[in-house]
Amino acid sequence: MSRAIAPRALVGPLLALGLFFTATHRASAMIYKPEKVIDMWDSWVVFHEGKFYLYYLESNHAILHGVSLASSDDGVHYTEVGTVVPKSPEAVWLGSGSVWKKPGSEPAEWVMNFSESKDGLQRIYFATSTDLRNWNRLSHDFRFQQDERWYHPDGRWDCICALPRKEGGLYGYWTATPRGAVGFGFGQSLDGIKWEALKPPTIDWTGRPVMKKSEVSMEAGAVEHIRDKYYMMSGTPRYEGRSGMVTMVCLLYTSDAADEGLGVDL
């Protein structure tokens, strides 16, 4: 059994688990503190064959410079592995990502996406693995960048959340800077490595103030298929005078909707 948990989607469940586990384990067991790095940032988890793989951004001097790994048999007690994907020498910093299984791969091959900032531009890069511990960074030829018809080339571009595509392959949502409105990125991939950006989803703001592009940015945190709907958890700093997370509900999810973007509601 494999289960990928997208960035930030694990926060609520972990808090709930903390309330449970502290009854039978030391409270400190719920606090993972690495010894090889000073600071941690965004994190994401993959559960595969009875083991949890916790990935997180690492920093030693206020610069995010790689992805580190810790593993666990119970999801509570973690053993630090260390850096698995370092920042490239020419990049200023390395940004958040996630992991998914490459479509159709047996035995499983895993794909990690992460972003890097080079010359003031953020782009998405990839690495692959067969054991979730040893990662092979793919070349510059596999870099994924903005389609300038719909997205600003110098805007945000990171952290793909991938979902199975009914026709095969994957759909993906990610943090982006669409032209003309606040929103997020959307695209598809047949193999999980080569991605095609599509028109960003539209957002129905009925009943809520429209988010002004000059005042706020939006981060695509996680998307899950629950029963007959798709739900997105999105970060919205400075919206209606406060920062936090909102949940969006997908109104359409068909192949016909892909080219037009998806209708979503708050």
Side-chain angles (χ1 to χ4, degrees):
M1 177 182 178
S2 302
R3 181 73 174 121
I5 304 175
R8 292 174 285 275
L10 195 62
V11 176
L14 277 182
L15 291 176
L17 286 173
L19 294 175
F20 173 79
F21 280 114
T22 51
T24 55
H25 292 72
R26 299 189 313 274
S28 60
M30 285 302 299
I31 306 298
Y32 168 68
K33 182 178 180 180
E35 297 181 356
K36 298 179 182 180
V37 299
I38 296 175
D39 298 319
M40 301 169 60
W41 201 247
D42 293 350
S43 59
W44 56 99
V45 172
V46 174
F47 178 72
H48 179 59
E49 295 184 344
K51 188 177 289 289
F52 295 85
Y53 297 86
L54 169 65
Y55 301 92
Y56 51 92
L57 298 184
E58 60 179 48
S59 170
N60 279 334
H61 300 287
I63 297 295
L64 298 171
H65 57 77
V67 178
S68 273
L69 169 66
S71 63
S72 171
D73 293 326
D74 61 7
V76 179
H77 305 85
Y78 281 86
T79 300
E80 184 174 11
V81 176
T83 304
V84 292
V85 179
K87 176 183 75 66
S88 62
E90 64 271 20
V92 178
W93 47 262
L94 182 148
S96 189
S98 60
V99 172
W100 55 77
K101 181 182 175 183
K102 183 177 180 181
S105 62
E106 293 295 342
E109 182 177 4
W110 302 90
V111 180
M112 179 190 296
N113 81 102
F114 54 92
S115 67
E116 286 188 332
S117 176
K118 302 177 182 180
D119 299 321
L121 301 175
Q122 189 177 26
R123 301 289 186 261
I124 294 175
Y125 298 84
F126 300 93
T128 59
S129 174
T130 57
D131 61 6
L132 290 167
R133 295 175 65 92
N134 299 286
W135 289 87
N136 174 44
R137 181 182 177 125
L138 301 185
S139 71
H140 182 82
D141 295 338
F142 293 92
R143 179 184 66 176
F144 179 42
Q145 63 188 54
Q146 294 90 335
D147 186 324
E148 296 186 26
R149 290 177 296 174
W150 299 311
Y151 303 95
H152 289 283
D154 57 351
R156 291 287 302 275
W157 198 252
D158 64 315
C159 197
I160 300 173
C161 178
L163 293 171
R165 185 171 174 265
K166 294 177 182 179
E167 300 84 353
L170 300 169
Y171 277 133
Y173 298 86
W174 57 88
T175 300
T177 309
R179 293 185 180 276
V182 172
F184 38 86
F186 175 61
Q188 61 187 359
S189 173
L190 291 178
D191 63 2
I193 296 175
K194 296 179 181 178
W195 284 82
E196 175 191 9
L198 300 173
K199 184 179 178 180
T202 57
I203 299 177
D204 180 0
W205 297 99
T206 301
R208 297 290 297 273
V210 176
M211 195 177 291
K212 297 180 180 179
K213 189 172 180 62
S214 61
E215 298 178 355
V216 70
S217 62
M218 177 182 290
E219 291 189 334
V223 180
E224 287 290 339
H225 184 197
I226 303 174
R227 296 186 178 90
D228 60 344
K229 291 185 174 64
Y230 290 80
Y231 297 84
M232 170 180 282
M233 185 173 66
S234 175
T236 57
R238 303 184 306 281
Y239 178 55
E240 294 188 290
R242 58 187 176 182
S243 299
M245 307 297 294
V246 298
T247 300
M248 299 187 176
V249 182
C250 181
L251 303 178
L252 299 171
Y253 200 89
T254 67
S255 58
D256 294 336
D259 291 337
E260 298 299 325
L262 301 181
V264 297
D265 194 6
L266 282 173

